[in-house]
Amino acid sequence: MRTEEHRPVRLSEYRPPDWLVETVDLDFKLHPTQTPVRATLKVKPNPAAGAPAPLVLDGDELSLISVKIDGQLLPTDRFTATPERLTIAQPPNRPFTLEIETLVDPKGNTQLSGLYQSSGNYCTQCEAEGFRRITYYPDRPDVMAVYTTRIEADKAEAPVLLSNGNLKESGDLPGGKHFAVWHDPWPKPAYLFALVGGRLGHIEDKFVTKSGRNVTLRIYVEPGKENRAGYAMDSLKRSMRWDEEAFGREYDLDIFMVVAVSDFNMGAMENKGLNVFNDKYVLATSTTATDSDYVSIEAIIAHEYFHNWTGNRITCRDWFQLCLKEGFTVYRDQEFTSDQRSRVVTRIGDVRALRTHQFVEDAGPLAHPVRPELYREINNFYTTTVYEKGAEVVRMIHTMLGPALFRQGTDLYFERHDGEAATVEQFVICFADASGRDFGQFMRWYSQAGTPEIVATGTYDAGAKTYRLDLAQVTPPTPSQPTKEPMVIPLVTGLIGRDGRDLPLKLDNGTTIDRGLLVLDKPAQSFVFTGINERPALSTNRNFSAPIKLTANLAPDDLRLMAAHDSDPFNRWQAVQTLATQLLVGNVARIRAGQDPEVDEGLLDALAIIMADKKLEPAFVAETLLPPSEADIAREIGRDVDPDAIFRSRAALRALMGLHLNKALSSAYETLANRGPYSPDAVSAGHRTLRNVCLDLLAATQESHAIGLAARQYQQADNMTDRMAALATLSLHDVPERAAALDDFYQRYKDDPLIIDKWFVLQAATPDPKTLDRVKALTSHPAFSMKNPNRVRSLIGAFAQGNQTQFNRPDGQGYEFIADTILTLDPANPQLASRMSTAFKSWRALEAGRRGRAQAALKRIADKSGLSRDVSDIVQRALADT
Ligand code: TRP
Ligand code: ZN
């Protein structure tokens, strides 16, 4: 545990490093509990830093063996070493060689940060501050060095030895040992270092870059699972080609490796030339993975690969700039997915996730800017705000500039900053320089937290044939930001005539609106459109051009017109969502007042029209049939939230859809039946998605025929997508078929942890008062382990983050269980415990009873002594009175 009190780190206190490192030579002798690490650094004073300074190196739980300067053992009175720091008060005021020997314990490293063991294999995780758990080092991203890594190991224990860069040398040694030497010619920060050693199988392929470089591609997996790595390899090759075409970026080493490990705190890590992945995002066959698993694998392979330029070649000056690499790289992987699959369906999925996770984060006590200005624990800032809102900010730059200028801006960025540790300002200035536009006010997207709320009011003047659009914006207060300045909000807008066609947009000052783009940058602004012969429907924020909450004075018939005809397919979907949200929110109030939920014939008609529109792709139709999430409805309501009423409101709508659209749903279910062998492509997946949504809505009526269909689909499915979908539908109903299918599923897949995770998720997410006891019982199941993050997230994470009614049980038992879990996890794996504690991010919006119980659980966590910095940072912020 950390002993020192750490003061927060502030962006305003950034100082360049006093010392730079030119080269790092690492020497590992892998041993399960005692691995000696020798680090030889060529250090030199930083000319940009001024006066001679002490050399202060970071550490974390380190034990030092020796320090040498220029080959001479340093006497103990010349330095001080604690587990957290190595200080040489008076180093030579010139370049010198520093040799440090430490001893680390991979097996005892349960935090999964630094050098650790996973299923007996050695691996590392160094972002953000894990390298300091391997050796003392200036562990900050603006110190970039060239690494050479020699690994020695028992050949039987670790036949495969990998690190960053290219393999220089390898061979056998006496005593059953062997070694490998890797050299990475590209200077990099320590967080991109990686080492892997163990028994691994692999598949191999090759890629020729557009300038003719031959690249060997390898994906390493647990032996015997090689046949599950094919889709990841295919995704990798498509990513490499796409980055050449879309951004002009080529790969820069002779080999690119991906290693799948089963114990991993996050999704994956972009270490230079040696990406390390959670095996969940590598392994897939049609019978082990679902369509959405395939989508995730493709996106995460792309994401980590794209980091090679956005993150590695150009890295971050400091961790406040995290969105520089993450926001941009998420934007890039979203664009990749859009080009590989359906653009609008991808956008809908991304916006749905943004609303359910980021908007909710932004509305609660953990809200923070895309670029925070202060942190206590950087690991707690790998958030949906930094990643997904960060991507939206890049997307807005693209929207405002258009594709050609945007590309000129990124070209300039890559040319200007290659090899550097850059800032967000430097990134944005490239777009300003490429376009001649001013992005000064736009920078507020990086500094102001909270979701801007825009009110759009349209007024039609039949006499003057004008349409006046009044726009107003407000960004609500967030922790430590009570007042906000106006934002720059790009609103792609259309006016739709009654025949469903877009009207030409001409302003009263004579200008035509290019690409429909209106930019709101004041608290309030008006636009008057002329030559409008009938009252139009306002379609704005098309394609979700800004990450805002929009309230427009649209009549229900405007929304139905848009659902049927909007030329912007995103807003066709949005119109249905808006109708559904209005109904759901209204019904929550009715249910709480003891009344019956209302029916909205208009919504059902809109859905019927969409289902009948044969020009629409099935995956899009499926999206229109999915109402907003419970978390999103709760955020929409904002205060005094009753999760049970939200659940009932949503369940009532789903049942109603199943009833009213019964014919269309049944016939879609029949006609979309599987033909031919499984293929993970987007079109085939779209057919399955729609068919399974139809099944789920049919079953939402509780009709026994529909339950029978689900049970039959479960049994007869020849792929995991259809089997899981049927099981998920059954899991929502208290019928004997549910227990039978769950038992069958366990028996079929009990030897496959990643599939059993799906079994955990479904049971934990069941909206049933018996779920909590079931989840508690499953923590003793032989397939469960508190040590494996995937197991913990599947069972306990799915309960806390994915089961609104049961986590928020009125008796508070859900909160108590999660608090207990956090306290159990914290000493072993604070990053995992801390993630779990973000489940409380919306506690303040709850109705009084639940709010009190959630607060009590949070306080119980906060009061525990010896809490990690990770968890204490989250619970302190969650409890703070802003
Ligand atoms: N940089 C990684 C990504 O976005 C994520 C990451 C950050 C990570 N810290 C981590 C992964 C710690 C695993 C463990 O792709
Ligand atoms: Zn990333």
Side-chain angles (χ1 to χ4, degrees):
M1 274 307 88
R2 280 125 175 162
T3 46
E4 297 173 53
E5 225 359 273
H6 284 260
R7 50 180 226 100
V9 185
R10 289 170 204 279
L11 171 58
S12 60
E13 291 173 5
Y14 173 82
R15 284 198 321 123
D18 292 319
W19 292 86
L20 300 178
V21 183
E22 275 183 342
T23 60
V24 181
D25 285 75
L26 295 167
D27 192 324
F28 291 84
K29 295 194 171 40
L30 295 180
H31 180 278
T33 55
Q34 292 181 304
T35 294
V37 183
R38 196 171 63 233
T40 309
L41 321 180
K42 285 214 157 68
V43 298
K44 60 173 189 190
N46 182 2
L55 179 60
V56 183
L57 303 179
D58 303 300
D60 183 5
E61 298 187 331
L62 281 181
S63 71
L64 179 69
I65 299 175
S66 67
V67 192
K68 289 180 186 167
I69 285 183
D70 292 332
Q72 298 294 309
L73 213 53
L74 198 63
T76 50
D77 62 348
R78 292 275 314 277
F79 67 91
T80 58
T82 69
E84 284 84 32
R85 196 161 289 108
L86 175 65
T87 308
I88 303 174
Q90 288 171 316
N93 188 23
R94 54 166 170 84
F96 65 93
T97 303
L98 179 66
E99 203 178 309
I100 299 168
E101 223 182 322
T102 51
L103 192 62
V104 300
D105 174 7
K107 200 172 193 157
N109 183 355
T110 58
Q111 297 189 18
L112 315 186
S113 165
L115 176 63
Y116 66 95
Q117 277 199 327
S118 172
S119 314
N121 293 323
Y122 297 88
C123 64
T124 57
Q125 171 56 41
C126 293
E127 189 176 6
E129 297 179 336
F131 191 72
R132 62 183 66 184
R133 296 170 55 77
I134 296 173
T135 186
Y136 292 101
Y137 195 78
D139 192 5
R140 44 187 286 170
D142 57 354
V143 173
M144 298 169 81
V146 170
Y147 284 66
T148 306
T149 305
R150 183 180 185 282
I151 315 166
E152 199 177 299
D154 213 87
K155 200 169 182 178
E157 188 194 33
V160 174
L161 299 174
L162 311 174
S163 189
N164 318 89
N166 302 313
L167 181 65
K168 288 286 141 176
E169 222 190 309
S170 64
D172 289 342
L173 296 166
K177 306 235 174 235
H178 73 147
F179 76 100
V181 179
W182 291 84
H183 176 75
D184 177 6
W186 299 102
K188 64 169 176 286
Y191 81 86
L192 291 173
F193 169 79
L195 170 158
V196 169
R199 275 186 287 269
L200 294 161
H202 73 266
I203 61 169
E204 182 168 314
D205 208 324
K206 61 183 189 334
F207 183 86
V208 184
T209 68
K210 74 168 189 287
S211 70
R213 182 194 280 271
N214 281 297
V215 185
T216 300
L217 309 177
R218 283 194 182 164
I219 299 183
Y220 289 87
V221 297
E222 204 177 283
K225 301 212 165 143
E226 294 86 349
N227 68 329
R228 298 195 193 185
Y231 193 72
M233 182 65 88
D234 179 60
S235 302
L236 175 60
K237 288 187 287 180
R238 285 183 284 118
S239 304
M240 294 176 84
R241 192 60 75 207
W242 185 89
D243 211 14
E244 296 184 342
E245 286 161 6
F247 284 90
R249 298 297 106 202
E250 263 187 66
Y251 189 60
D252 54 6
L253 289 167
D254 302 329
I255 185 164
F256 185 84
M257 298 172 282
V258 168
V259 181
V261 303
S262 49
D263 299 85
F264 204 66
N265 274 342
M266 306 249 249
M269 179 63 212
E270 69 264 24
N271 318 300
K272 183 78 187 191
L274 180 57
N275 290 357
V276 176
F277 270 63
N278 186 325
D279 58 2
K280 172 182 166 68
Y281 297 116
V282 173
L283 302 174
T285 67
S286 65
T287 53
T288 64
T290 64
D291 290 332
S292 66
D293 293 329
Y294 279 90
V295 171
S296 301
I297 290 169
E298 181 179 86
I300 298 176
I301 288 275
H303 179 99
E304 306 311 329
Y305 175 73
F306 296 157
H307 269 314
N308 190 53
W309 273 94
T310 50
N312 301 4
R313 286 287 286 261
I314 306 180
T315 193
C316 300
R317 186 192 72 173
D318 53 71
W319 290 120
F320 295 102
Q321 321 296 327
L322 184 57
C323 66
L324 175 70
K325 73 176 178 81
E326 296 304 345
F328 191 17
T329 304
V330 171
Y331 171 78
R332 278 151 54 69
D333 83 56
Q334 290 176 345
E335 285 302 289
F336 169 72
T337 300
S338 301
D339 286 343
Q340 302 288 309
R341 296 170 177 264
S342 158
R343 180 160 284 271
V344 65
V345 172
T346 301
R347 187 67 184 138
I348 290 167
D350 290 340
V351 171
R352 219 189 256 289
L354 190 80
R355 286 189 174 132
T356 295
H357 302 115
Q358 200 282 322
F359 279 25
V360 170
E361 180 168 272
D362 234 355
L366 301 181
H368 56 274
V370 169
R371 181 171 64 180
E373 275 153 34
L374 177 152
Y375 62 77
R376 290 193 160 74
E377 172 51 64
I378 188 57
N379 285 321
N380 287 339
F381 285 85
Y382 288 77
T383 60
T384 177
T385 295
V386 170
Y387 276 63
E388 278 79 24
K389 189 176 181 181
E392 292 301 316
V393 175
V394 177
R395 185 173 296 282
M396 285 188 283
I397 298 176
H398 180 273
T399 300
M400 289 191 297
L401 295 188
L405 284 176
F406 179 81
R407 174 66 191 267
Q408 285 176 37
T410 62
D411 285 352
L412 182 59
Y413 174 66
F414 291 123
E415 189 196 304
R416 196 182 268 179
H417 295 293
D418 187 12
E420 294 180 7
T423 63
V424 167
E425 280 80 6
Q426 289 174 320
F427 173 70
V428 178
I429 283 170
C430 290
F431 296 100
D433 289 352
S435 66
R437 314 255 180 100
D438 177 12
F439 281 85
Q441 186 186 342
F442 184 83
M443 293 304 288
R444 287 179 190 154
W445 279 107
Y446 289 102
S447 58
Q448 290 194 153
T451 306
E453 297 172 3
I454 277 67
V455 176
T457 313
T459 317
Y460 181 59
D461 182 336
K465 297 199 183 313
T466 57
Y467 182 83
R468 179 192 163 98
L469 177 59
D470 294 306
L471 297 170
Q473 63 162 305
V474 171
T475 303
T478 49
S480 84
Q481 295 188 335
T483 59
K484 307 287 163 103
E485 300 297 323
M487 307 285 274
V488 177
I489 298 179
L491 292 170
V492 176
T493 302
L495 297 179
I496 309 173
R498 290 296 132 187
D499 62 354
R501 281 203 284 232
D502 276 12
L503 306 174
L505 296 185
K506 219 182 190 127
L507 286 182
D508 56 351
N509 62 14
T511 55
T512 319
I513 300 293
D514 184 31
R515 296 177 295 132
L517 178 63
L518 304 177
V519 178
L520 170 65
D521 58 7
K522 300 186 179 61
Q525 253 159 295
S526 300
F527 299 89
V528 178
F529 301 95
T530 59
I532 309 288
N533 293 322
E534 58 188 343
R535 187 180 70 82
L538 171 68
S539 173
T540 190
N541 209 27
R542 281 182 160 175
N543 199 37
F544 209 65
S545 55
I548 55 155
K549 186 178 166 192
L550 174 70
T551 309
N553 67 328
L554 292 165
D557 69 308
D558 291 333
L559 287 165
R560 282 198 300 276
L561 180 77
M562 286 159 70
H565 298 294
D566 200 318
S567 63
D568 179 58
F570 179 87
N571 266 6
R572 284 188 76 176
W573 171 81
Q574 181 58 57
V576 177
Q577 290 290 298
T578 304
L579 285 167
T581 304
Q582 288 170 355
L583 176 69
L584 288 165
V585 169
N587 280 343
V588 168
R590 279 175 209 107
I591 288 167
R592 292 188 74 184
Q595 299 160 3
D596 284 337
E598 264 181 11
V599 181
D600 179 353
E601 301 285 351
L603 169 61
L604 296 169
D605 288 350
L607 287 171
I609 289 170
I610 285 175
M611 285 205 76
D613 189 338
K614 294 288 167 252
K615 292 193 293 295
L616 291 172
E617 47 181 333
F620 176 87
V621 177
E623 289 292 349
T624 65
L625 293 170
L626 293 174
S629 67
E630 290 163 56
D632 195 32
I633 301 164
R635 180 196 52 78
E636 198 59 50
I637 294 170
R639 47 176 298 277
D640 192 27
V641 165
D642 174 355
D644 287 324
I646 291 173
F647 176 81
R648 284 173 56 201
S649 171
R650 201 170 175 277
L653 173 59
R654 283 162 34 81
L656 208 69
M657 285 164 65
L659 213 61
H660 282 245
L661 303 170
N662 206 283
K663 268 222 174 78
L665 295 169
S666 300
S667 93
Y669 185 77
E670 293 307 322
T671 53
L672 291 164
N674 258 347
R675 277 169 294 254
Y678 176 94
S679 153
D681 70 90
V683 172
S684 316
H687 286 96
R688 283 185 291 272
T689 308
L690 179 54
R691 185 164 189 261
N692 288 323
V693 168
C694 291
L695 175 67
D696 194 51
L697 287 173
L698 289 168
T701 62
Q702 315 268 16
E703 257 186 57
S704 61
H705 174 68
I707 301 291
L709 281 183
R712 196 172 69 207
Q713 176 171 320
Y714 173 83
Q715 283 301 337
Q716 295 178 351
D718 69 350
N719 63 79
M720 184 55 79
T721 304
D722 289 333
R723 176 157 290 144
M724 267 310 287
L727 188 62
T729 290
L730 289 173
S731 78
L732 297 175
H733 302 277
D734 196 356
V735 292
E737 288 89 337
R738 165 165 79 182
L742 281 168
D743 288 346
D744 177 88
F745 193 89
Y746 179 71
Q747 288 308 326
R748 276 179 202 258
Y749 302 115
K750 61 176 178 297
D751 299 325
D752 205 317
L754 290 177
I755 306 182
I756 293 305
D757 281 346
K758 300 176 188 301
W759 183 75
F760 284 136
V761 169
L762 276 190
Q763 296 178 81
T766 304
D768 182 313
K770 294 194 286 290
T771 293
L772 177 59
D773 285 338
R774 180 87 190 129
V775 171
K776 286 181 179 170
L778 284 169
T779 59
S780 315
H781 192 281
F784 184 78
S785 159
M786 275 290 203
K787 295 204 171 86
N788 180 286
N790 285 355
R791 300 302 91 75
V792 172
R793 282 187 287 253
S794 298
L795 183 62
I796 308 180
F799 175 80
Q801 315 262 8
N803 193 336
Q804 296 289 315
T805 59
Q806 301 315 302
F807 171 59
N808 294 297
R809 283 165 62 111
D811 64 5
Q813 288 306 304
Y815 307 138
E816 293 303 323
F817 170 63
I818 294 306
D820 290 339
T821 304
I822 290 164
L823 293 174
T824 306
L825 287 170
D826 193 39
N829 188 338
Q831 281 188 46
L832 185 61
S834 166
R835 287 263 149 190
M836 191 70 67
S837 62
T838 64
F840 289 96
K841 66 181 175 293
S842 303
W843 74 273
R844 279 177 191 283
L846 294 162
E847 53 78 26
R850 288 172 171 92
R851 198 189 321 138
R853 292 183 174 88
Q855 186 178 30
L858 275 167
K859 283 194 170 139
R860 182 159 71 85
I861 302 170
D863 288 346
K864 172 87 177 190
S865 68
L867 214 54
S868 68
R869 184 154 31 116
D870 309 61
V871 170
S872 93
D873 171 45
I874 296 286
V875 297
Q876 294 306 337
R877 280 192 281 143
L879 284 167
D881 323 289
T882 69

